[in-house]
Amino acid sequence: VAITSLAFVVFPSCENSEVYKAEEAQQLSFYPSSKPCTRWWWFATDINEEDIKHQLDWAKEHNFGGVEVAWVYPLYRYQRMYARSYGRNYQKDTSAQEWLSPEWSEIVAFTKAYSDSIGLSCDFTFGSAWPVAGSNITEEHTSKIYGDSMFRQTLTFAWCWPDTQMVINHLDSNAFRLFSEPVGNALQEALKGSKSALFTDSWEIKLNATNKIWTPGFDTVFLNKFGYDIIPYMEAGLDSFPDVRYDYMLLLDEYVTDGFYKPYVR
């Protein structure tokens, strides 16, 4: 019995080959290596160039591939906790560059430029701490829950503490735009050079069995989409009605995708 082997060789066109090369180059351009990156908390204090260089050099020498800068509170914010748990005493410190000020932007841009110069990637949290909040957020654009028109959630451990920030309504793209414009402007110089990822931290809205995330017009959109009124179930406690809660979560997914995540990646 004679067995004949056939080999099929596919030769991609030059045009497709160039597309593949371009896509591969774009993917490789995001990070200079596959080494692990680390989150780099900046506690609110005066940040200076020498300290930045020292810590980035340390990361490079210890085989890290890059950093993600996350801006958080001044250490004296939790003075009692640090003293009780770690025996550390942090005195009041108001030396930090003002949040999103030109001085703040300058030191962040220096960090990115120095990271590039030694071959480290440098990403940034888009905002300070979590959940997403801003000093310029008005009551109209704050996070909302059903059944409590006076509800406001404040962020009390951001870079600007003791000043507080208002948590945004993640279901409203106008709220995100209001928050993102000053942050994006302040990061403009730091986003030059190699590509930087912008990280969004956890979405922690204070809820309980009856007070679910809400936004004006949610009930009308729900009625049009599912054909029944959600309000009686919200009043009775949504968690007692799994099928209705499922529909609620489907619509909530659409709202937060259109109101927060899509604007975020544009």
Side-chain angles (χ1 to χ4, degrees), residues 40 42 47-49 52-53 56 67 69 71 97 100-118 120-124 183-194 196:
W40 187 13
W42 282 20
I47 307 295
N48 63 73
E49 294 182 1
I52 288 170
K53 291 169 67 175
L56 288 175
V67 296
V69 181
W71 297 280
Q97 289 90 340
L100 305 185
S101 66
E103 294 76 20
W104 181 91
S105 296
E106 182 179 355
I107 199 66
V108 175
F110 172 83
T111 303
K112 171 63 177 298
Y114 189 73
S115 296
D116 280 351
S117 73
I118 61 174
L120 291 179
S121 63
C122 185
D123 300 334
F124 304 104
V183 180
N185 289 340
L187 285 173
Q188 193 169 15
E189 288 298 314
L191 295 179
K192 294 180 179 179
S194 65
S196 292

Side-chain angles (χ1 to χ4, degrees), residues 18-145:
E18 292 303 317
V19 171
Y20 297 148
K21 288 180 180 178
E23 290 178 349
E24 184 180 37
Q26 184 178 22
Q27 292 171 2
L28 293 175
S29 68
F30 277 92
Y31 294 101
S33 77
S34 58
K35 294 178 180 179
C37 297
T38 183
R39 192 163 215 205
W40 187 13
W41 276 27
W42 282 20
F43 295 97
T45 188
D46 179 47
I47 307 295
N48 63 73
E49 294 182 1
E50 289 306 310
D51 286 344
I52 288 170
K53 291 169 67 175
H54 174 76
Q55 295 198 35
L56 288 175
D57 287 341
W58 183 94
K60 178 73 173 180
E61 291 166 6
H62 288 79
N63 287 316
F64 284 94
V67 296
E68 180 241 318
V69 181
W71 297 280
V72 292
Y73 52 88
L75 285 166
Y76 76 94
R77 166 69 176 88
Y78 294 106
Q79 190 175 53
R80 291 182 181 178
M81 182 271 289
Y82 282 115
R84 180 180 65 252
S85 301
Y86 305 103
R88 299 176 182 175
N89 293 287
Y90 295 107
Q91 300 303 310
K92 185 175 182 179
D93 178 4
T94 59
S95 65
Q97 289 90 340
E98 183 181 349
W99 177 241
L100 305 185
S101 66
E103 294 76 20
W104 181 91
S105 296
E106 182 179 355
I107 199 66
V108 175
F110 172 83
T111 303
K112 171 63 177 298
Y114 189 73
S115 296
D116 280 351
S117 73
I118 61 174
L120 291 179
S121 63
C122 185
D123 300 334
F124 304 104
T125 297
F126 197 59
S128 177
W130 58 90
V132 173
S135 304
N136 63 329
I137 299 301
T138 62
E139 291 189 2
E140 178 186 359
H141 296 104
T142 59
S143 58
K144 294 173 173 54
I145 59 176

Side-chain angles (χ1 to χ4, degrees), residues 141-211:
H141 296 104
T142 59
S143 58
K144 294 173 173 54
I145 59 176
Y146 181 81
D148 185 357
S149 61
M150 301 303 294
F151 173 80
R152 302 289 182 271
Q153 185 170 344
T154 56
L155 180 61
T156 62
F157 52 95
W159 178 275
C160 61
W161 191 86
D163 292 338
T164 59
Q165 297 181 329
M166 301 294 286
V167 176
I168 71 168
N169 180 357
H170 288 69
L171 281 60
D172 180 3
S173 60
N174 292 320
F176 177 78
R177 279 190 284 270
L178 184 63
F179 155 78
S180 65
E181 185 174 344
V183 180
N185 289 340
L187 285 173
Q188 193 169 15
E189 288 298 314
L191 295 179
K192 294 180 179 179
S194 65
K195 288 185 176 67
S196 292
L198 297 177
F199 177 79
T200 183
D201 218 316
S202 54
W203 182 20
E204 300 174 16
I205 307 300
K206 297 176 180 178
L207 302 174
N208 56 38
T210 56
N211 290 333

Side-chain angles (χ1 to χ4, degrees), residues 25 55 145 179 212 228 233-234 244 250:
Q55 295 198 35
I145 59 176
F179 155 78
K212 299 299 184 184
Y228 65 96
Y233 301 97
M234 298 297 293
V244 180
L250 286 177

